[in-house]
mmCIF file of all heavy atoms in Angstrom:
data_model
loop_
_atom_site.group_PDB
_atom_site.id
_atom_site.type_symbol
_atom_site.label_atom_id
_atom_site.label_comp_id
_atom_site.label_asym_id
_atom_site.label_seq_id
_atom_site.Cartn_x
_atom_site.Cartn_y
_atom_site.Cartn_z
ATOM 1 N N VAL A 1247 125.510 168.877 142.052
ATOM 2 C CA VAL A 1247 125.739 170.318 141.914
ATOM 3 C C VAL A 1247 124.515 170.991 141.293
ATOM 4 O O VAL A 1247 124.086 172.063 141.731
ATOM 5 C CB VAL A 1247 127.002 170.575 141.056
ATOM 6 C CG1 VAL A 1247 127.165 172.062 140.775
ATOM 7 C CG2 VAL A 1247 128.230 170.047 141.768
ATOM 8 N N GLY A 1248 123.935 170.340 140.277
ATOM 9 C CA GLY A 1248 122.766 170.914 139.622
ATOM 10 C C GLY A 1248 121.585 171.047 140.567
ATOM 11 O O GLY A 1248 120.909 172.077 140.598
ATOM 12 N N LEU A 1249 121.367 170.017 141.379
ATOM 13 C CA LEU A 1249 120.264 170.081 142.343
ATOM 14 C C LEU A 1249 120.455 171.237 143.308
ATOM 15 O O LEU A 1249 119.541 172.023 143.568
ATOM 16 C CB LEU A 1249 120.183 168.769 143.126
ATOM 17 C CG LEU A 1249 119.325 167.662 142.502
ATOM 18 C CD1 LEU A 1249 119.392 166.407 143.342
ATOM 19 C CD2 LEU A 1249 117.878 168.153 142.390
ATOM 20 N N ARG A 1250 121.686 171.345 143.831
ATOM 21 C CA ARG A 1250 121.976 172.418 144.790
ATOM 22 C C ARG A 1250 121.784 173.783 144.124
ATOM 23 O O ARG A 1250 121.228 174.706 144.716
ATOM 24 C CB ARG A 1250 123.422 172.252 145.280
ATOM 25 C CG ARG A 1250 123.829 173.218 146.359
ATOM 26 C CD ARG A 1250 123.356 172.768 147.720
ATOM 27 N NE ARG A 1250 123.598 173.803 148.710
ATOM 28 C CZ ARG A 1250 122.680 174.210 149.584
ATOM 29 N NH1 ARG A 1250 121.488 173.664 149.595
ATOM 30 N NH2 ARG A 1250 122.961 175.149 150.457
ATOM 31 N N LEU A 1251 122.255 173.887 142.868
ATOM 32 C CA LEU A 1251 122.173 175.152 142.141
ATOM 33 C C LEU A 1251 120.729 175.588 141.956
ATOM 34 O O LEU A 1251 120.394 176.761 142.132
ATOM 35 C CB LEU A 1251 122.868 174.986 140.785
ATOM 36 C CG LEU A 1251 123.118 176.225 139.938
ATOM 37 C CD1 LEU A 1251 124.011 177.189 140.695
ATOM 38 C CD2 LEU A 1251 123.780 175.836 138.641
ATOM 39 N N PHE A 1252 119.851 174.636 141.620
ATOM 40 C CA PHE A 1252 118.477 175.019 141.311
ATOM 41 C C PHE A 1252 117.556 174.974 142.523
ATOM 42 O O PHE A 1252 116.398 175.376 142.433
ATOM 43 C CB PHE A 1252 117.931 174.145 140.189
ATOM 44 C CG PHE A 1252 118.500 174.530 138.860
ATOM 45 C CD1 PHE A 1252 119.473 173.755 138.254
ATOM 46 C CD2 PHE A 1252 118.104 175.706 138.244
ATOM 47 C CE1 PHE A 1252 120.019 174.132 137.044
ATOM 48 C CE2 PHE A 1252 118.648 176.084 137.032
ATOM 49 C CZ PHE A 1252 119.607 175.295 136.435
ATOM 50 N N GLU A 1253 118.070 174.450 143.652
ATOM 51 C CA GLU A 1253 117.255 174.501 144.862
ATOM 52 C C GLU A 1253 117.517 175.778 145.644
ATOM 53 O O GLU A 1253 116.610 176.531 145.959
ATOM 54 C CB GLU A 1253 117.551 173.285 145.752
ATOM 55 C CG GLU A 1253 116.677 172.087 145.433
ATOM 56 C CD GLU A 1253 117.148 170.844 146.145
ATOM 57 O OE1 GLU A 1253 118.098 170.931 146.943
ATOM 58 O OE2 GLU A 1253 116.584 169.777 145.887
ATOM 59 N N ALA A 1254 118.798 176.016 145.938
ATOM 60 C CA ALA A 1254 119.124 177.118 146.847
ATOM 61 C C ALA A 1254 119.584 178.374 146.112
ATOM 62 O O ALA A 1254 119.561 179.459 146.678
ATOM 63 C CB ALA A 1254 120.210 176.668 147.822
ATOM 64 N N PHE A 1255 120.018 178.239 144.838
ATOM 65 C CA PHE A 1255 120.639 179.383 144.169
ATOM 66 C C PHE A 1255 119.934 179.722 142.859
ATOM 67 O O PHE A 1255 120.579 180.124 141.893
ATOM 68 C CB PHE A 1255 122.117 179.092 143.899
ATOM 69 C CG PHE A 1255 122.948 178.968 145.136
ATOM 70 C CD1 PHE A 1255 123.159 177.751 145.742
ATOM 71 C CD2 PHE A 1255 123.514 180.100 145.707
ATOM 72 C CE1 PHE A 1255 123.918 177.650 146.893
ATOM 73 C CE2 PHE A 1255 124.276 180.007 146.855
ATOM 74 C CZ PHE A 1255 124.481 178.779 147.451
ATOM 75 N N VAL A 1256 118.609 179.598 142.837
ATOM 76 C CA VAL A 1256 117.885 179.872 141.594
ATOM 77 C C VAL A 1256 117.983 181.346 141.225
ATOM 78 O O VAL A 1256 118.265 181.700 140.077
ATOM 79 C CB VAL A 1256 116.409 179.445 141.722
ATOM 80 C CG1 VAL A 1256 115.657 179.830 140.480
ATOM 81 C CG2 VAL A 1256 116.323 177.954 141.943
ATOM 82 N N LEU A 1257 117.770 182.230 142.212
ATOM 83 C CA LEU A 1257 117.765 183.668 141.909
ATOM 84 C C LEU A 1257 119.133 184.143 141.409
ATOM 85 O O LEU A 1257 119.210 184.785 140.355
ATOM 86 C CB LEU A 1257 117.322 184.450 143.154
ATOM 87 C CG LEU A 1257 117.184 185.951 142.893
ATOM 88 C CD1 LEU A 1257 116.079 186.219 141.865
ATOM 89 C CD2 LEU A 1257 116.887 186.699 144.181
ATOM 90 N N PRO A 1258 120.255 183.812 142.111
ATOM 91 C CA PRO A 1258 121.560 184.185 141.560
ATOM 92 C C PRO A 1258 121.791 183.633 140.157
ATOM 93 O O PRO A 1258 122.361 184.316 139.304
ATOM 94 C CB PRO A 1258 122.558 183.565 142.553
ATOM 95 C CG PRO A 1258 121.814 183.448 143.804
ATOM 96 C CD PRO A 1258 120.392 183.211 143.428
ATOM 97 N N PHE A 1259 121.302 182.417 139.914
ATOM 98 C CA PHE A 1259 121.473 181.812 138.600
ATOM 99 C C PHE A 1259 120.772 182.635 137.528
ATOM 100 O O PHE A 1259 121.321 182.905 136.455
ATOM 101 C CB PHE A 1259 120.932 180.383 138.627
ATOM 102 C CG PHE A 1259 121.181 179.611 137.368
ATOM 103 C CD1 PHE A 1259 122.420 179.064 137.120
ATOM 104 C CD2 PHE A 1259 120.168 179.450 136.440
ATOM 105 C CE1 PHE A 1259 122.647 178.357 135.950
ATOM 106 C CE2 PHE A 1259 120.398 178.750 135.275
ATOM 107 C CZ PHE A 1259 121.640 178.208 135.026
ATOM 108 N N GLU A 1260 119.550 183.090 137.841
ATOM 109 C CA GLU A 1260 118.810 183.897 136.866
ATOM 110 C C GLU A 1260 119.459 185.255 136.675
ATOM 111 O O GLU A 1260 119.521 185.779 135.563
ATOM 112 C CB GLU A 1260 117.351 184.057 137.319
ATOM 113 C CG GLU A 1260 116.573 182.757 137.396
ATOM 114 C CD GLU A 1260 116.435 182.083 136.048
ATOM 115 O OE1 GLU A 1260 116.496 182.790 135.032
ATOM 116 O OE2 GLU A 1260 116.281 180.847 136.017
ATOM 117 N N VAL A 1261 119.960 185.832 137.777
ATOM 118 C CA VAL A 1261 120.629 187.129 137.672
ATOM 119 C C VAL A 1261 121.865 187.004 136.778
ATOM 120 O O VAL A 1261 122.194 187.910 136.008
ATOM 121 C CB VAL A 1261 121.007 187.651 139.080
ATOM 122 C CG1 VAL A 1261 121.871 188.885 138.978
ATOM 123 C CG2 VAL A 1261 119.759 187.956 139.877
ATOM 124 N N THR A 1262 122.531 185.829 136.860
ATOM 125 C CA THR A 1262 123.699 185.580 136.020
ATOM 126 C C THR A 1262 123.363 185.714 134.536
ATOM 127 O O THR A 1262 124.141 186.263 133.764
ATOM 128 C CB THR A 1262 124.219 184.154 136.310
ATOM 129 O OG1 THR A 1262 124.646 184.104 137.645
ATOM 130 C CG2 THR A 1262 125.357 183.804 135.413
ATOM 131 N N SER A 1263 122.166 185.238 134.161
ATOM 132 C CA SER A 1263 121.801 185.333 132.747
ATOM 133 C C SER A 1263 121.668 186.786 132.328
ATOM 134 O O SER A 1263 122.062 187.167 131.220
ATOM 135 C CB SER A 1263 120.506 184.564 132.495
ATOM 136 O OG SER A 1263 119.439 185.201 133.151
ATOM 137 N N VAL A 1264 121.111 187.623 133.226
ATOM 138 C CA VAL A 1264 121.002 189.051 132.928
ATOM 139 C C VAL A 1264 122.406 189.649 132.775
ATOM 140 O O VAL A 1264 122.672 190.446 131.873
ATOM 141 C CB VAL A 1264 120.214 189.784 134.032
ATOM 142 C CG1 VAL A 1264 120.149 191.268 133.732
ATOM 143 C CG2 VAL A 1264 118.821 189.204 134.147
#
Side-chain angles (χ1 to χ4, degrees):
Chain A
V1247 174
L1249 272 177
R1250 185 81 188 132
L1251 190 61
F1252 285 105
E1253 271 170 4
F1255 294 92
V1256 176
L1257 184 64
F1259 186 78
E1260 297 297 335
V1261 172
T1262 296
S1263 67
V1264 178

